């Protein structure tokens, strides 16, 4: 609650710097993800200005900075928030301009989860092709912290909640796997949340991942 401030989150770095090479560092964030008017990505804090997230919001870079430069080699960051897949700002600006033109010329409104195409083109893109297009436009461009990052949704998607699950769908899928009591590796976790979230949201939400240590798979629990 009120303890979730940018200063308190940033102060966690002091503890993480005490980790050693054999430690596992797992950070899970569940909350609101916000895009500023300039398409910079912020995570909500207790006192964030939702209309101007740059005021007291936690910049994404500050969250990733927590695991940058620490000794632990096994690092996992999970983000259950809207727009948590990284956004290519230049592409977003281009798409916004195209959407404005489409709306003006064809009376087409942008879809809240991504790109709305003119009616004549809608039937040319299935779910798989739309996801591939989204992946090309919104590329993970992290700084190389050696961390596996699993995001609840693509840069242009919303992280959905369901009342019957009593959680965000992404967090529910993680807890669901945890409650099985089975030993789970990073790759198994990624595979589970990817398929389960898509299934529970009927394809409206697709987690994205960035694994900076492609040849290393380790046991999460």
């Amino acid at each position: 609650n009120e303890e979730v401030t940018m200063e308190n989150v940033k102060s966690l770095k002091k503890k993480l710097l005490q980790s050693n090479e054999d430690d596992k560092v797992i950070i899970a964030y569940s909350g609101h993800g916000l895009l500023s008017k300039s398409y910079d990505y912020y995570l909500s804090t207790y006192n964030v200005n939702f209309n101007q997230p740059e005021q007291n919001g936690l910049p994404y870079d500050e969250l990733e900075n927590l695991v940058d430069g620490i000794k632990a080699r096994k690092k996992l960051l999970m983000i259950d928030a809207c727009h948590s897949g990284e956004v290519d700002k230049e592409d977003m600006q281009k798409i916004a301009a195209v959407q404005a033109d489409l709306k003006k010329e064809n009376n087409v409104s942008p879809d809240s989860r991504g790109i709305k195409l003119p009616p004549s083109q809608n039937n040319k893109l299935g779910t798989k092709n739309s996801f591939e297009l989204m992946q090309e436009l919104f590329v993970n461009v992290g700084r190389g912290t050696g961390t596996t990052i699993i995001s609840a949704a693509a840069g242009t998607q919303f992280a959905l909640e369901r009342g019957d699950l009593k959680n965000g769908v992404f967090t529910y899928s993680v807890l669901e796997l945890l409650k099985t009591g089975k030993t789970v590796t990073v790759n198994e976790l990624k595979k589970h949340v990817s398929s389960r979230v898509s299934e529970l949201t009927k394809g409206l939400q697709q987690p994205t991942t960035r694994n900076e240590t492609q040849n290393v798979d380790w046991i999460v629990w």
Side-chain angles (χ1 to χ4, degrees), residues 80-94:
D80 190 356
C82 295
H83 312 299
S84 53
E86 293 183 64
V87 176
D88 186 303
K89 293 200 293 182
E90 184 177 347
D91 282 328
M92 281 294 291
Q93 290 163 351
K94 290 179 181 178

Side-chain angles (χ1 to χ4, degrees), residues 98-138:
V98 171
Q99 288 178 333
D101 290 340
L102 288 175
K103 184 175 182 180
K104 181 179 179 181
E105 296 177 9
N106 303 306
N107 196 29
V108 176
S109 300
D111 185 87
S112 63
R113 293 180 299 277
I115 304 168
K116 183 74 171 181
L117 297 173
S120 61
Q121 296 184 34
N122 274 335
N123 60 355
K124 297 181 181 180
L125 284 177
T127 302
K128 182 178 180 181
N129 288 334
S130 297
F131 179 66
E132 290 172 351
L133 175 62
M134 175 270 296
Q135 288 288 67
E136 291 176 4
L137 292 176
F138 309 104

Side-chain angles (χ1 to χ4, degrees), residues 8 34 41 45 68 77 90 139 182 188 198 211 217-218:
N8 286 344
L34 308 166
Y41 184 53
T45 59
D68 189 17
L77 178 58
E90 184 177 347
V139 185
K182 298 178 180 179
E188 289 171 338
S198 180
N211 188 351
D217 191 18
W218 47 276

Side-chain angles (χ1 to χ4, degrees), residues 1-7 9 29 31-36 40-60:
N1 294 328
E2 64 275 2
E3 295 183 8
V4 184
T5 64
M6 183 167 62
E7 292 74 20
V9 173
Y29 173 90
H32 297 287
L34 308 166
L35 287 174
S36 69
D40 290 313
Y41 184 53
Y42 293 85
L43 297 167
S44 62
T45 59
Y46 181 75
N47 56 345
V48 67
N49 182 338
F50 282 90
N51 294 320
Q52 293 179 288
E54 56 270 27
Q55 295 182 10
N56 299 321
L58 178 71
Y60 171 79

Side-chain angles (χ1 to χ4, degrees), residues 8 57 74-75 98 123 127 130 148 159 175 206 220:
N8 286 344
K74 300 173 181 178
K75 298 178 287 187
V98 171
N123 60 355
T127 302
S130 297
T148 297
L175 294 174
Q206 181 65 59
V220 182

Side-chain angles (χ1 to χ4, degrees), residues 18-25 72-75:
Q18 300 173 17
S19 65
N20 60 53
E21 293 180 353
D22 296 323
D23 284 333
K24 300 176 184 177
V25 173
R73 294 178 178 176
K74 300 173 181 178
K75 298 178 287 187

